[in-house]
Every structure is written in structure tokens, then in C-alpha cells.
Amino acid sequence: MFSKIDFKFLRYIFLIFVFYCIGCDSQKKKEANLAEFTYIPSGILGLPDLPVPKNNPQSSDKVSLGAKLYSDKRFSADGTVSCATCHKPEQAFVDRLKVSKGIKNLTGTRNAPTVLNAAYYKTQFWDGRRSDLEGQSKDPLLNPVEHGLSSHDDLIKIVKSDPDYTSKFKTVFGIDPNAIQIDHVALAIASFERTIISGNSPFDRYRFGKEEKALSESAIRGLNLYMGKARCQDCHTIGETYAIFTDDKFHNLGVGFKRIQPKLEEILQKKAEAKNSPTSDQEILTNLESSELGRFAVTGVSEDLGTFKTPGLRNIALTSPYMHDGSLTSLEQVIDLYDRGGEANPFLSSGIRPLGLSGQEKADLVSFLKSLTSPVLPSMPK
Amino acid sequence: MRRTGGLLAASIVPMSLVEIACRGRGKGSHEKFTFAFISDPHLTHIKGANFVRNFDSGLNKAIETVNLMFPRPDFVVFGGDLAQLGKREELEHGMELLSKLKVPVKFVIGEHDYYLDMGNYWQDKISKLNYSFDHKGVHFVVLNSILTYDTWIKRWKTPEERMNEMARLDNPNGSPFMVGDDQIAWLKKDLENVMSGTPLVVLSHSPLYKIYKPWNFWTDDAEKIQSVLSRFDNVTVFHGHVHQVLYNQIKNISFYALMSTAWPWPYPESYTQSPNYIPKMTVFMNRQDPFHERDGTGWAFVNMDNAREEMHYKLWENKDRIVKYDDSAGHPVDSTYQKPESRILPQTHY
């Protein structure tokens, strides 16, 4: 049971073992990624290479088809809603509403996230219920408070009856009209969305372009706070050579949680009885209780209660209101939320704590966040 | 000694209870049941109505999570160190928080609860210091394992001084824990009428074996207690105090430690400044990320299935662990991370 340990030797063996494991693991990850994605240089200061699924390579025809599908209001129950309705190209790909409006002015439960740089996220939607852009685009079409179609066939019928579409699908996928399926539509929309990326902000020029004068004194102080006292960096990550401003994880800040906290037991009991099956897209957008469960609605893991995805911060000054429910209208309000340590609840993420920021420090952080706006945003292909 | 540590990423384990049939050494038929295990919140009074926020939030999170388990556990074992310095304010505050639990609580006292008033408040308002009970075919014994020598107790001028000396982890002025002969006599008497085939669970604060004396991961008369328990076919000790995932098998006894809800301690081997005799480690715990207050902390629930334990370590903001007694191996085994090739890499929160 007891043995005298030779510490140096044991540590040495342990380190060899750890490095071996890290080697194996990173090798495995590398192989998995190589199998799934091709990485295309973004050509934009501050952005990493763009991951493109090997089964959906980019082409200009596909992007053009995707843009047309993205903007087509006929793909909704009353002909009023397209992807562009809530993710407006002229408004940094958001709608500036608290929560989005779909057909018949029906509202959902969530604030529309921007399409800008969504191509870099490892999951889509505030709760990560889809893993990629291809999976994401199909859901709103059927959601009763978004496009409200009864099935994807409604869309396919329109596409098949439109000669411009049938010719484009032939060009892009080499298929006849009868072979067009919703998955082709999703592939094209995702390809278009992979062109909606932006960087080269004053922050990028300062940090990655080494332009010392690209940021104001206040924004530089804000960046230092961001990396230090304000603790933003841990989740909204800035890398050494690029920045996407997300850790691709889910965190509970307590926003909106008090709406469900009194009923939590009842909600979870139901969930347990339903064997923790994932909550449907429709329920998340039509039932406030289910919406506020956040990532838990997807995983059924108590650790995910009230957690939402860390959004990127590029162009954040253009995409108010903020948070998953659009409940905060200004960057100042968001900074105040973090400064007071989020909204108290038992499942608050453990990196969140009161910060004790001064008025000047808060103002500096806001200055920094405003420096993340790109001078030119991508637009629809001509 | 086998151990696991923290890992990145949230787990995808449903909150329903996992049931794995295992043929335990327990004889006769036993009902399945579950109990939760919460330990070492170390609630710390600042002044007035102010307590250290981080430690309050750890205990609160455990309580709220247990209340959200369906089906509910039959009871909660509280593993000790409710208070940091044994103050009445801390114990009362802790009891107020624990009163939110919707299932009964079985209390074990820790040294931080004891050495200010020598357990008076605890015995008066909270629980007996040692007792036993039967539950669905399993005999449970609660021990006060944090007693020490009278000479040490009398050495200090004030109760506060005594408490502060005992509260320090790496304290040359410390004194080893023990169960004591009186309690061992009580234990023998309590077990007199318990058949050897009856599954036995012992609850203590300190480990009922010897890990590392300078930190008091230690019970001085551990061998005496182990000897009293030696005639039983199926004995499990659950303890707190060491603030980490830790499990071991000594002869017929399986030992399981629990994380604290407040902060993690490392295994002493990573710290020792001179060579020491300590149980050999096979799986090291990862370094915790200090940015995340809850990293390396958590709670557990225990499935008793056919009278053998299945320990579900609920590591917050990490992957859960399931450690259970393996009949063929004759000791507890981690269901995922025991094999060298399955070992856990250091976390990369950065």
C-alpha cells in the first residue's frame, strides 16, 4: 500500500506520458478536422482561415444561388419572410429588434444573431442546437413564428417551378429539377453565408497590423481591461494571430433566468419524464420557459441550465440589442451586467463575478468594443 | 490508490439515474436506492450578514441541483466542514441554506465545525456526532473522525486560537485526527448484531486510512477501525476533507472521497517538500483553472444497486465520473478513465 516515491523519476515518466497523450490527441483531432474541412485563407486582417466542409466546397455560382435563396420571401407561409428579413444585409445581418418577427408579425423568444462570421462558429443558434450552417438554415423555414412553412416541400415546389432556380441548381449541383432537395438548398445558403465574414477593424489593425495609432488611448485602456481586470478574454477569446471573440462554449449569466427559476422543478421533472429528449426548434421559439433553459433544452444536462453560446463581438456596436433575449439595449448596459457579476442564480457560470469597474473603466471598455467595427461589411453578390 | 482529475467540456449525462446491474458481494436481496453527497462548503463569515460569495454559491449550486434530481435521492449525506472557523454565524447560515434541501440530511461533522466550541452547537442544534441507521438493507454508520489528543486541545489559550490552528492545512502545530477508543468501542457494540453479509457504509469526514500526515489527510487510529470492519463482506467508506476525487481499496474496504463545493486541494504528492510515504497514485488530478471558481469542485450521488456502490462524481463545468466497485478487479474502477490510454489531458481553458 505504501511505497517510497522517487519524485523526479515519477514526474519525468508522467510528463512523457502527458506529452504522448497530447500528441495522440492532437493528432486525432487534426485527422478528424482534415477529414471534414478544407481551410481557405480569409485574406482579411484578424480572421483565421475559413473552415469549409469538404462536402460543400465554395463556388461563385453556389454563393450566388445561396444569396438568391437567402433573400426569397416566397419561402414563407404568407410571402413576407426570407432569411434576410431578420438577418438584414444592410443592417450588419441583424434586425435590430429585441426578438425577431416572423410571418404575421409573430414574435419568437430570441434575438437574431448576426450572420457575420457565423461561418467560424462550432455550433449555431444561441443554444447550439445545430452544429453547422447547413443544419441551421432548414429550421426557421418550418418554425411557425418564423417562415411558417408546413414542410420543406412547400419551398421545393416553388424552386422547381422557377426556371431561374432550376437552371442554377443544374449548374451548381448538376441535378435535374426532380432531384432538388432541401439539403441542396441548405448547402447553397451555407456557401453564401461563408462569404459573410468581416475583420480589418481598428482593433485588428492595432493588434495584428501593429498600427499603434489605429486605436484611441481609451480603446487601448479598454483592451487592457478586456484582457485583465474585466475578464472578457476568457470567453470572448482573442488569439495571437487572429480573433473570433468566442470560446464556442455556453455560459449562464442569469439573464432571463428568473423567469423560469420558480418553476424549475416542474420543468425538469417533465423533462426527466420525457427521458430528456431534445426540445424542438418550434418549442424553443414559442415557449418562453423552454427558451430560457438555454443549452439544457438540447442536452438535458443540469450543468447547462440557462447557458447560452458565447457570441462573437465583431461589429458589436452595430448589432444591438444584446443577449439571447435582446433584453439589453446598449453596450453600457452589457458592461454593467458583467460588472455586477451577472444576474444571481444557482447556476451562474463560475467565471462570472463582480468586477468593481470604475466609470472610466466602463467607458474605456465601450470604446474598445466600438473599435471592433469593420470599415466595410460584406454584401449580397451582384 | 486510483484517482481521476478534471477535464474540459460539459458532460452529456442525463440527470436520470443510470442503473448498471452489478453482482455485488452483498448477500440477500437489497432494494436499489440513491443518496446524494455534499461536502466541505467552508462557509466563511466576513461580518454582519456578509459571507464569502464564492463559497455560498458552491453550496447553493449543490443544493439546487440535488433538488432538481428526478427521481429524488432518498437522502443527502453532508460530509462536514459546513463552517470555516466553527462560528455560530457560519453554522446557522449553513443550516439556513441546507434547509432548502427537499430530502432528509445525514450529518457528519468536520474539524472546522468542531474545534471552536468542541462540537457543542453542532450536537445541540444539528446532529449527533456519531450514530447509525439502516436503510433498505444497508447499515450506515456515522463516525466523528476528527478528534485529537487532549494534550493538543489543552495547549491553546483560547477557543479561537485552537480553531485557527486546526483550520490550517499545512500546519507544523497541527495534530492528527482520530476516532478514539470510546467511539471504537461504540462502533464494535453497534456492529455486534449486524451480520457479516450485511452491506455496511461508513460515513466520516477524514479518510479512515493514512494518506499524508502534514496535511492531516489522515486518521491516526485508522488500522483499529479497519480491523473492526474486517469481518464484513462489503464495506464502503465515504469521506470528505480532501477536496478531490479519490478512491482506494484496502483489504475488504472501498474508500471514496468527494470534492468540496468550495475549492479543490491537490494530491499531496504534487506538493511534498520532502519525500513521504503516501499511497501510490495511478491517475493524477489535473491542475485546476483558477479563473473558474467552480472548477475542481462539485458533489456526487451514489447509486446503491444490489448493495454495491456506484459513485457518480458531478464535477462542475467538467465531465462527470462514474466510479464503481469492480468484482473482478476487487477494487473501485473509473468507468472511463482508469486505463492508462484513457487518461485525462490537462485542461485547456485558455
Side-chain angles (χ1 to χ4, degrees):
Chain A
M1 165 79 200
F2 293 97
S3 66
K4 195 147 190 166
I5 303 292
D6 179 338
F7 292 101
K8 277 187 180 167
F9 175 72
L10 200 135
R11 202 169 294 144
Y12 174 70
I13 292 293
F14 178 65
L15 281 174
I16 287 177
F17 170 66
V18 164
F19 286 124
Y20 169 76
C21 284
I22 289 170
C24 291
D25 194 64
S26 59
Q27 188 58 34
K28 271 183 209 157
K29 273 186 195 152
K30 230 179 256 179
E31 282 165 11
N33 283 343
L34 284 173
E36 291 169 38
F37 294 102
T38 305
Y39 290 86
I40 301 171
S42 68
I44 299 173
L45 185 66
L47 292 186
D49 293 350
L50 183 72
V52 177
K54 286 191 173 172
N55 62 2
N56 191 20
Q58 295 289 99
S59 75
S60 58
D61 287 336
K62 200 190 282 180
V63 169
S64 155
L65 170 60
K68 182 176 162 76
L69 292 160
Y70 180 94
S71 309
D72 199 328
K73 289 185 179 173
R74 290 178 295 167
F75 304 153
S76 62
D78 63 358
T80 62
V81 173
S82 71
C83 306
T85 304
C86 303
H87 305 282
K88 298 181 194 308
E90 68 279 13
Q91 287 194 350
F93 292 85
V94 294
D95 56 13
R96 305 302 293 264
L97 298 171
K98 184 171 187 287
V99 292
S100 293
K101 275 187 188 160
I103 54 165
K104 302 172 196 159
N105 280 337
L106 291 168
T107 50
T109 54
R110 300 259 167 99
N111 175 263
T114 181
V115 178
L116 284 164
N117 298 319
Y120 289 107
Y121 296 162
K122 292 196 167 69
T123 60
Q124 301 297 333
F125 292 114
W126 276 106
D127 51 20
R129 62 188 181 275
R130 293 289 177 192
S131 60
D132 52 25
L133 293 171
E134 283 79 358
Q136 185 278 331
S137 64
K138 291 182 281 188
D139 291 346
L141 294 165
L142 303 185
N143 199 300
V145 299
E146 296 184 282
H147 297 241
L149 297 179
S150 58
S151 89
H152 288 134
D153 292 344
D154 301 353
L155 179 151
I156 299 298
K157 273 182 203 149
I158 296 165
V159 168
K160 285 178 180 174
S161 65
D162 181 330
D164 186 44
Y165 272 131
T166 53
S167 119
K168 281 190 160 73
F169 273 90
K170 181 77 180 168
T171 307
V172 173
F173 296 105
I175 49 174
D176 293 332
N178 284 341
I180 299 171
Q181 293 178 358
I182 191 63
D183 285 342
H184 296 112
V185 173
L187 289 167
I189 291 174
S191 280
F192 158 67
E193 288 172 332
R194 287 195 176 91
T195 66
I196 307 303
I197 57 175
S198 73
N200 197 31
S201 65
F203 155 78
D204 295 303
R205 300 207 318 275
Y206 175 83
R207 184 171 172 97
F208 305 119
K210 309 296 181 208
E211 279 184 50
E212 285 180 25
K213 294 199 163 42
L215 288 186
S216 68
E217 289 300 316
S218 172
I220 292 169
R221 289 196 302 270
L223 171 58
N224 291 331
L225 287 160
Y226 184 102
M227 301 300 267
K229 181 179 176 182
R231 301 163 62 86
C232 316
Q233 160 70 2
D234 197 73
C235 304
H236 296 281
T237 317
I238 295 172
E240 288 304 308
T241 55
Y242 60 81
I244 311 173
F245 295 93
T246 179
D247 58 357
D248 281 304
K249 291 185 200 164
F250 302 84
H251 301 282
N252 172 317
L253 308 178
V255 172
F257 201 70
K258 60 179 174 294
R259 294 182 193 134
I260 54 166
Q261 211 174 330
K263 299 181 196 163
L264 216 44
E265 271 183 57
E266 189 190 325
I267 295 167
L268 265 76
Q269 189 157 11
K270 273 190 212 155
K271 190 91 184 152
E273 284 160 5
K275 299 263 186 290
N276 291 303
S277 55
T279 312
S280 72
D281 187 77
Q282 175 175 335
E283 191 181 331
I284 287 164
L285 285 203
T286 55
N287 179 332
L288 195 60
E289 280 177 10
S290 297
S291 171
E292 294 304 346
L293 292 171
R295 179 76 173 158
F296 176 84
V298 182
T299 65
V301 176
S302 61
E303 199 59 6
D304 290 332
L305 277 166
T307 66
F308 293 89
K309 193 174 70 179
T310 306
L313 297 178
R314 293 184 168 279
N315 304 296
I316 194 78
L318 309 177
T319 59
S320 67
Y322 304 113
M323 318 315 282
H324 69 275
D325 57 357
S327 58
L328 301 181
T329 56
S330 68
L331 291 172
E332 285 78 4
Q333 285 181 8
V334 176
I335 300 293
D336 280 335
L337 169 79
Y338 284 111
D339 184 51
R340 63 178 181 269
E343 301 288 355
N345 78 91
F347 302 98
L348 190 72
S349 270
S350 76
I352 304 298
R353 64 178 71 167
L355 302 171
L357 298 169
S358 69
Q360 182 62 54
E361 286 172 328
K362 290 180 190 178
D364 290 340
L365 276 165
V366 171
S367 291
F368 170 69
L369 292 171
K370 287 179 176 170
S371 80
L372 302 179
T373 305
S374 303
V376 181
L377 293 183
S379 54
M380 305 305 283
K382 297 285 181 287
Chain B
M1 168 71 60
R2 290 170 174 80
R3 242 178 59 132
T4 54
L7 185 69
L8 188 66
S11 79
I12 311 293
V13 177
M15 282 178 69
S16 57
L17 303 187
V18 183
E19 289 188 352
I20 300 168
C22 57
R23 283 174 174 61
R25 292 172 298 172
K27 295 180 177 68
S29 90
H30 306 279
E31 280 183 74
K32 289 179 187 178
F33 68 94
T34 304
F35 65 90
F37 189 7
I38 299 173
S39 194
D40 293 82
H42 288 264
L43 304 179
T44 304
H45 184 233
I46 301 168
K47 64 177 178 183
N50 289 333
F51 292 82
V52 170
R53 176 194 55 81
N54 174 14
F55 303 155
D56 273 16
S57 63
L59 180 57
N60 265 324
K61 184 169 181 175
I63 290 165
E64 296 285 342
T65 314
V66 168
N67 281 344
L68 293 173
M69 277 183 81
F70 296 99
R72 285 230 166 93
D74 286 11
F75 54 87
V76 174
V77 170
F78 179 79
D81 285 354
L82 181 57
Q84 169 62 9
L85 292 173
K87 291 160 76 173
R88 182 162 293 206
E89 292 92 337
E90 291 167 348
L91 293 170
E92 283 176 351
H93 180 56
M95 290 310 290
E96 193 183 345
L97 297 186
L98 287 169
S99 71
K100 290 186 292 187
L101 279 167
K102 302 199 172 185
V103 289
V105 184
K106 306 293 184 183
F107 284 95
V108 180
I109 193 166
E111 80 278 14
H112 287 258
D113 307 313
Y114 183 82
Y115 278 94
L116 186 68
D117 69 354
M118 303 306 287
N120 286 336
Y121 180 88
W122 190 274
Q123 288 181 92
D124 191 29
K125 301 283 191 203
I126 298 175
S127 164
K128 289 179 179 171
L129 301 181
N130 58 289
Y131 56 99
S132 66
F133 60 95
D134 293 284
H135 189 79
K136 295 184 177 175
V138 178
H139 186 67
F140 283 80
V141 176
V142 175
L143 293 177
N144 174 11
S145 65
I146 52 82
L147 298 169
T148 195
Y149 297 95
D150 278 349
T151 47
W152 185 90
I153 291 166
K154 290 179 180 133
R155 191 174 144 187
W156 310 105
K157 291 191 185 72
T158 64
E160 289 77 14
E161 194 178 9
R162 181 178 61 217
M163 179 72 251
N164 289 344
E165 292 291 347
M166 193 50 101
R168 276 182 56 193
L169 181 79
D170 191 39
N171 187 2
N173 292 328
S175 183
F177 293 141
M178 61 180 64
V179 170
D181 289 346
D182 291 353
Q183 218 177 163
I184 290 172
W186 170 86
L187 176 65
K188 280 182 185 161
K189 191 157 179 47
D190 179 80
L191 297 177
E192 258 174 17
N193 298 322
V194 181
M195 310 275 288
S196 302
T198 304
L200 180 62
V201 171
V202 181
L203 306 170
S204 64
H205 180 67
S206 61
L208 295 179
Y209 63 107
K210 290 170 172 174
I211 299 174
Y212 186 58
K213 202 169 183 176
W215 285 6
N216 232 338
F217 287 7
W218 191 267
T219 301
D220 226 29
D221 45 8
E223 293 84 353
K224 285 186 188 173
I225 299 139
Q226 290 169 21
S227 153
V228 174
L229 305 177
S230 63
R231 74 176 171 89
F232 290 88
D233 297 336
N234 173 355
V235 189
T236 311
V237 173
F238 292 99
H239 65 91
H241 186 61
V242 297
H243 294 212
Q244 60 199 275
V245 177
L246 200 62
Y247 47 98
N248 200 2
Q249 182 78 26
I250 300 172
K251 294 178 184 164
N252 63 321
I253 308 171
S254 307
F255 296 86
Y256 296 83
L258 180 64
M259 302 82 72
S260 154
T261 60
W263 71 82
W265 288 128
Y267 193 63
E269 185 160 297
S270 66
Y271 172 87
T272 46
Q273 297 171 8
S274 59
N276 264 279
Y277 292 96
I278 52 177
K280 189 177 177 184
M281 179 66 66
T282 53
V283 184
F284 281 82
M285 194 162 175
N286 289 308
R287 190 184 61 158
Q288 307 306 317
D289 179 351
F291 182 94
H292 292 269
E293 296 171 344
R294 300 271 69 80
D295 195 15
T297 69
W299 62 289
F301 69 84
V302 183
N303 267 358
M304 296 297 285
D305 182 355
N306 198 19
R308 277 304 334 189
E309 70 288 347
E310 184 183 273
M311 180 82 159
H312 290 240
Y313 284 105
K314 307 294 280 184
L315 278 146
W316 286 320
E317 304 194 9
N318 279 294
K319 286 209 167 171
D320 293 344
R321 304 300 163 73
I322 301 172
V323 181
K324 63 184 185 5
Y325 183 83
D326 181 311
D327 263 330
S328 57
H331 59 70
V333 169
D334 187 300
S335 60
T336 308
Y337 303 107
Q338 196 71 53
K339 292 176 182 164
E341 61 270 24
S342 309
R343 291 290 153 78
I344 299 145
L345 296 174
Q347 299 184 54
T348 50
H349 272 307
Y350 312 99

